[in-house]
Amino acid sequence: MKTTIKRTLQALLVLVLALTFIGLGVWQLQRAQDLQDYVALPIDRTIYPLLEKSAATGIVPGESIGKLVTTSGYYIATYKAPNQKDGNDVVDDWEVGLLQNETDTAILVVRGLWSQRLSSPEIAMSTRVEVVGTLLPAQNDDRAVNTASQLSRLDSSILVASTDAQLFEGFILAKSEVSRSGLVDRTRITPPELTSEIPGFYWQHISYVVIWWFMALLVLWLPFYKRDDERV
């Protein structure tokens, strides 16, 4: 009787472990498929109004990161953002404007290279400008010392004391600017390549599938394994 109960419990334990490993393999297989589906998604080239993708009362939603947005208003301040890296891994100093929207909110806009800040003299503080660009979240790490004319990182929280306008958490990497004089002609910053929200790589997930299912087979095989001294 005791032997029967012991064997039954052992069989149940083996079954539970095997099913667990199989389940983990199925989970990794699904993540591999999700990753492929994510890569296969068409690039969204729609230009959305800024307020459809973000608000000045919270962080940039995950699904809004990397989207093209448009807004308009007046630049109320200009800053230098040193040691910034673009999508081509080129490090340079950027010109960043604080754009006050017509809704009494403001958002940081990366206009271009700091060395070319004098290339668009038609943009003055009293000039209304319409911006189209990539919406990105605030940076967390400092790239330089923060001063009255220089930003340590692209993060509106460090400007709270500088303006009464309600500040958006993220910033816009400008793709184009249009003023009453027409399209502003200057070099724009290459956006960073956005990575998948699904951790890992396709073949990494597949390798985990193989490992978990091998473990399941090993667990199922162990009860039938006999050591050499038991065979005698």
Side-chain angles (χ1 to χ4, degrees), residues 125-190:
M125 295 298 179
S126 60
T127 303
R128 182 180 180 279
V129 60
E130 182 177 347
V131 177
V132 173
T134 305
L135 181 62
L136 295 171
Q139 295 176 343
N140 296 318
D141 56 318
D142 289 340
R143 316 293 173 85
V145 177
N146 196 63
T147 67
S149 59
Q150 177 174 285
L151 299 178
S152 58
R153 64 182 183 274
L154 297 177
D155 182 0
S156 62
S157 66
I158 61 180
L159 297 174
V160 172
S162 303
T163 177
D164 294 330
Q166 193 168 17
L167 298 171
F168 282 80
E169 178 265 348
F171 64 94
I172 296 175
L173 197 63
K175 185 176 181 180
S176 67
E177 294 172 295
V178 178
S179 70
R180 61 191 176 194
S181 303
L183 184 66
V184 177
D185 183 20
R186 65 179 297 175
T187 303
R188 301 298 177 180
I189 305 299
T190 304

Side-chain angles (χ1 to χ4, degrees), residues 9-27 209-224:
L9 292 176
Q10 287 177 340
L12 287 174
L13 178 60
V14 168
L15 185 61
V16 169
L17 288 175
L19 290 176
T20 300
F21 289 136
I22 292 172
L24 288 170
V26 171
W27 173 59
V209 172
V210 174
I211 291 172
W212 289 126
W213 286 358
F214 173 77
M215 292 295 293
L217 289 174
L218 184 61
V219 168
L220 291 173
W221 171 75
L222 280 177
F224 302 98

Side-chain angles (χ1 to χ4, degrees), residues 95 111-123 177 183-188:
E95 179 189 6
R111 302 189 59 208
L113 297 174
W114 179 255
S115 59
Q116 298 179 7
R117 63 190 181 282
L118 302 179
S119 63
S120 51
E122 71 275 16
I123 301 295
E177 294 172 295
L183 184 66
V184 177
D185 183 20
R186 65 179 297 175
T187 303
R188 301 298 177 180

